[in-house]
Amino acid sequence: MKETKNIVLAEDNTTLSQLLKFRLQKEGYTTFVAQDGKQALELIELQKPNLILTDIMMPFISGLEVISHVRNKLQLQTPIIVFSAAGQEEMVLKAFNLGATDFMAKPFSPNELIIRIKRILT
Amino acid sequence: METFKILQNYFQQLPIELKLVWVLSAVLTVLAIIFTVYLKFLRNTLREKDVLSVKYQHKYESELLSYLFEESDEGELSNSQNEFIKTIQSKCDNKFKRKIIVETLLKLKNEVSGEIEIAIQNLYLKSNLKEHAYQQLKSKNWCIVANGIKELAQFKVKEAYPEVKKLIKYPKKEVRKEVELYLVSLFHFEGLDFLNNLKINLSEWDQIELLEELKNFDNQEIPDITLWLNSKNDSVVSFSLKLAKIYNKYETVETLLELLNHKNQKIRIQVIDVLTHLQVLDAKEILKNNFKKSSEEEQIAIFKMLENIYEPNDEAFIVENSTHKNFEIQYLALKILKSINEKTFNKLASESNYYNNNVVLKFVQNN
């Protein structure tokens, strides 16, 4: 039986997170949604996902801190895709320096995101 | 009863000042109780409203997602999709629910692009939401009008152009700003034609917002701005000068040279800055000839221009002004002179009495 891949999605916009969850589940991925960075770290430690999707700007713990925690404290090489808003180019550079795998600037196409996820996870 | 009578007698015996204090205390106590009860009521109402708002938001979110991912025949909406549109239409008259629906749509629309964005856009147009935004434009409350325009801009309703354009001279600047942003965000550079007849001041903040909006477009072909450069409205001239600088409008040089005689000093200084950016050498000679008639601020701007586009034949002019009373001009003159001809610079520097302020000279010498 084919093993389903786990994805942790950290996004504080509930409408967007629900949409992405719906879309990812349709593609056969098991998705765990966190509404802030703190929840995201808990889910990452608990679920050991195959991929992490995280927004940069989030309450409590930012996306950058999530990347740093995953790479430096947990010592995990899980691929991480970050979402950034327009004008956050500096943040994106910081995210790459911390170990992000890819990024998507908002507004983004969910179809394009799925293509990138498939490419990373195959 | 007895106690009340005792209190009444006591009160009547009191001097008038004390009576007043007692009455005032009683009134304030009653008011404090009323306000406390009112605040408690208000807080509860707001909390209930928040809870209700979250509840509806979740409800509409899941209905919206079902609508967006519903499988349907090519170009045709399914029954459940039509049902959702009807639901929205029925909720439109309820201001509270309408607000939540619009917020939910925008929350997603601002974050996604492609098919889903188009689907949300179509949903907005097919439901009665657009008509309600049109209604808001007719409100007597400026805040509602501004919100209506903003919503039409966010959902890219180009058909609202005639109604929105009428509001360009609205007395409240917040409304005018929304109109300007609507025009530019939907019609790009063509939307700037409101500048042709603009009589009202375009604030610095408005100008920044417009420039920020213009940066978002793929097509950066800006139309002819000569008309705006010649506007009688100084804020329009200032804005078009910013456009000339950002979009390198070399074809406007002739108009820019004429603007060196503009009545407003701020505009003249801004023109010098744009000419510097465009590296217009012709401007340099005109400015040098008019140097003595210019204000000190303009003289500084002229020297900043020279710093960027100096030539060897500027030497005499620079030497002449190297003892200028203004610190900034003197500093710039010495700095340029050192770059053009170090020998002349050293010769002047050796004439100890030539400069009143040796600190500037020593600073330029050592840097």
Side-chain angles (χ1 to χ4, degrees):
Chain A
M1 204 175 126
K2 200 181 160 190
E3 194 192 340
T4 55
K5 299 212 162 138
N6 292 348
I7 295 175
V8 165
L9 165 64
E11 170 61 62
D12 57 340
N13 180 334
T14 52
T15 321
L16 178 65
S17 61
Q18 288 308 310
L19 178 123
L20 294 178
K21 186 183 176 186
F22 195 92
R23 191 76 179 77
L24 290 166
Q25 280 176 341
K26 217 175 157 189
E27 294 294 328
Y29 300 112
T30 308
T31 314
F32 302 95
V33 178
Q35 287 189 4
D36 56 59
K38 207 168 149 232
Q39 271 184 28
L41 290 180
E42 285 166 8
L43 280 174
I44 291 164
E45 290 187 31
L46 192 72
Q47 303 296 339
K48 301 275 181 285
N50 303 92
L51 177 76
I52 299 163
L53 302 172
T54 178
D55 191 9
I56 287 187
M57 302 298 277
M58 279 189 298
F60 307 121
I61 294 176
S62 76
L64 295 180
E65 286 168 296
V66 170
I67 303 169
S68 173
H69 188 87
V70 171
R71 293 283 183 261
N72 302 320
K73 192 152 185 226
L74 303 178
Q75 298 282 321
L76 293 174
Q77 289 310 309
T78 315
I80 303 172
I81 301 179
V82 288
F83 306 144
S84 72
Q88 287 184 342
E89 287 77 12
E90 246 179 75
M91 293 278 202
V92 173
L93 289 178
K94 277 185 191 168
F96 275 117
N97 287 335
L98 286 167
T101 315
D102 201 353
F103 94 100
M104 290 200 74
K106 287 181 183 177
F108 61 78
S109 157
N111 291 340
E112 195 187 326
L113 176 69
I114 297 295
I115 292 168
R116 291 197 195 198
I117 291 172
K118 280 182 179 169
R119 206 182 55 195
I120 291 173
L121 291 180
T122 47
Chain B
M1 218 40 199
E2 278 293 305
T3 322
F4 181 73
K5 271 187 182 173
I6 294 165
L7 282 174
Q8 202 178 17
N9 287 337
Y10 169 75
F11 186 76
Q12 278 166 356
Q13 285 165 9
L14 288 174
I16 187 77
E17 294 86 356
L18 270 178
K19 273 184 185 170
L20 270 173
V21 171
W22 273 110
V23 169
L24 198 65
S25 307
V27 170
L28 288 175
T29 310
V30 171
L31 281 176
I33 292 167
I34 291 171
F35 278 121
T36 311
V37 172
Y38 173 70
L39 280 177
K40 188 143 178 64
F41 169 76
L42 192 69
R43 198 177 63 174
N44 286 342
T45 314
L46 287 174
R47 276 186 184 165
E48 278 168 23
K49 215 175 166 182
D50 277 348
V51 171
L52 207 61
S53 172
V54 172
K55 188 185 142 198
Y56 279 123
Q57 201 182 321
H58 287 315
K59 183 178 178 282
Y60 295 137
E61 258 175 23
S62 59
E63 284 180 1
L64 174 65
L65 294 180
S66 307
Y67 171 89
L68 293 172
F69 288 110
E70 180 78 27
E71 300 287 344
S72 58
D73 297 331
E74 195 96 357
E76 291 284 318
L77 291 178
S78 70
N79 286 341
S80 57
Q81 283 175 317
N82 280 320
E83 207 55 48
F84 182 56
I85 293 175
K86 278 182 194 162
T87 312
I88 294 183
Q89 285 171 341
S90 65
K91 309 283 184 219
C92 274
D93 292 329
N94 184 323
K95 208 173 133 188
F96 176 67
K97 288 183 180 171
R98 183 186 178 279
K99 192 174 164 239
I100 298 171
I101 293 171
V102 171
E103 275 173 7
T104 310
L105 294 182
L106 278 175
K107 226 171 126 185
L108 195 55
K109 190 181 176 295
N110 292 338
E111 305 275 35
V112 293
S113 61
E115 286 171 18
I116 291 179
E117 192 206 358
I118 296 166
I120 297 169
Q121 177 93 14
N122 289 338
L123 174 64
Y124 180 82
L125 297 175
K126 278 177 187 155
S127 55
N128 276 343
L129 293 166
K130 182 182 75 176
E131 280 68 27
H132 278 259
Y134 275 107
Q135 285 301 315
Q136 285 182 307
L137 302 185
K138 292 170 189 161
S139 171
K140 283 177 184 168
N141 184 339
W142 66 266
C143 190
I144 295 174
V145 179
N147 280 336
I149 301 167
K150 193 175 179 182
E151 191 179 307
L152 290 166
Q154 284 170 319
F155 285 100
K156 298 175 185 165
V157 186
K158 285 191 173 182
E159 308 88 83
Y161 176 82
E163 278 76 11
V164 175
K165 185 81 191 286
K166 279 181 208 162
L167 300 166
I168 194 74
K169 290 176 184 168
Y170 201 90
K172 271 275 177 187
K173 67 172 182 199
E174 287 83 356
V175 175
R176 293 200 304 270
K177 191 191 81 183
E178 291 302 336
V179 175
E180 289 156 9
L181 287 175
Y182 169 89
L183 293 170
V184 173
S185 63
L186 266 63
F187 300 95
H188 310 175
F189 289 112
E190 286 171 27
L192 284 174
D193 66 358
F194 72 90
L195 295 172
N196 296 354
N197 307 307
L198 191 72
K199 303 244 175 351
I200 307 155
N201 184 50
L202 195 64
S203 73
E204 275 298 319
W205 181 242
D206 292 345
Q207 294 182 29
I208 291 167
E209 283 198 284
L210 288 175
L211 292 171
E212 201 57 40
E213 194 63 46
L214 289 170
K215 271 201 318 198
N216 297 330
F217 309 132
D218 296 332
N219 178 13
Q220 291 290 303
E221 275 298 310
I222 182 171
D224 184 19
I225 60 167
T226 317
L227 182 67
W228 306 330
L229 285 169
N230 288 320
S231 171
K232 283 178 183 167
N233 183 337
D234 285 358
S235 64
V236 172
V237 180
S238 174
F239 179 66
S240 41
L241 283 169
K242 288 184 184 102
L243 289 175
K245 188 176 176 181
I246 293 168
Y247 295 95
N248 296 318
K249 297 290 283 178
Y250 289 99
E251 60 272 33
T252 59
V253 165
E254 220 167 285
T255 317
L256 291 174
L257 291 174
E258 286 167 20
L259 281 174
L260 287 172
N261 300 315
H262 198 276
K263 62 182 188 308
N264 185 334
Q265 181 191 264
K266 278 186 183 168
I267 297 286
R268 293 199 299 271
I269 292 172
Q270 205 183 339
V271 173
I272 297 171
D273 178 51
V274 179
L275 288 167
T276 307
H277 174 78
L278 298 176
Q279 309 242 324
V280 183
L281 295 171
D282 293 350
K284 203 170 62 176
E285 289 312 311
I286 301 170
L287 291 166
K288 273 158 65 179
N289 291 336
N290 295 329
F291 188 78
K292 283 190 177 136
K293 284 184 248 166
S294 307
S295 67
E296 206 160 278
E297 285 86 348
E298 285 170 86
Q299 290 181 341
I300 294 169
I302 293 167
F303 262 88
K304 279 184 181 164
M305 174 187 251
L306 283 171
E307 190 188 7
N308 285 292
I309 49 173
Y310 61 78
E311 290 170 298
N313 60 12
D314 294 323
E315 189 181 323
F317 175 78
I318 289 162
V319 170
E320 189 189 331
N321 290 289
S322 63
T323 52
H324 199 284
K325 65 179 189 306
N326 181 286
F327 165 83
E328 206 168 343
I329 295 173
Q330 194 184 116
Y331 166 68
L332 286 170
L334 288 169
K335 194 178 158 196
I336 301 166
L337 184 63
K338 193 183 169 192
S339 306
I340 291 180
N341 191 339
E342 203 158 356
K343 272 185 189 172
T344 318
F345 173 79
N346 288 332
K347 195 181 157 210
L348 286 179
S350 63
E351 294 168 17
S352 57
N353 294 330
Y354 194 74
Y355 292 99
N356 294 330
N357 189 355
N358 278 332
V359 180
V360 181
L361 183 68
K362 278 181 186 163
F363 179 79
V364 177
Q365 262 179 327
N366 299 327
N367 288 287

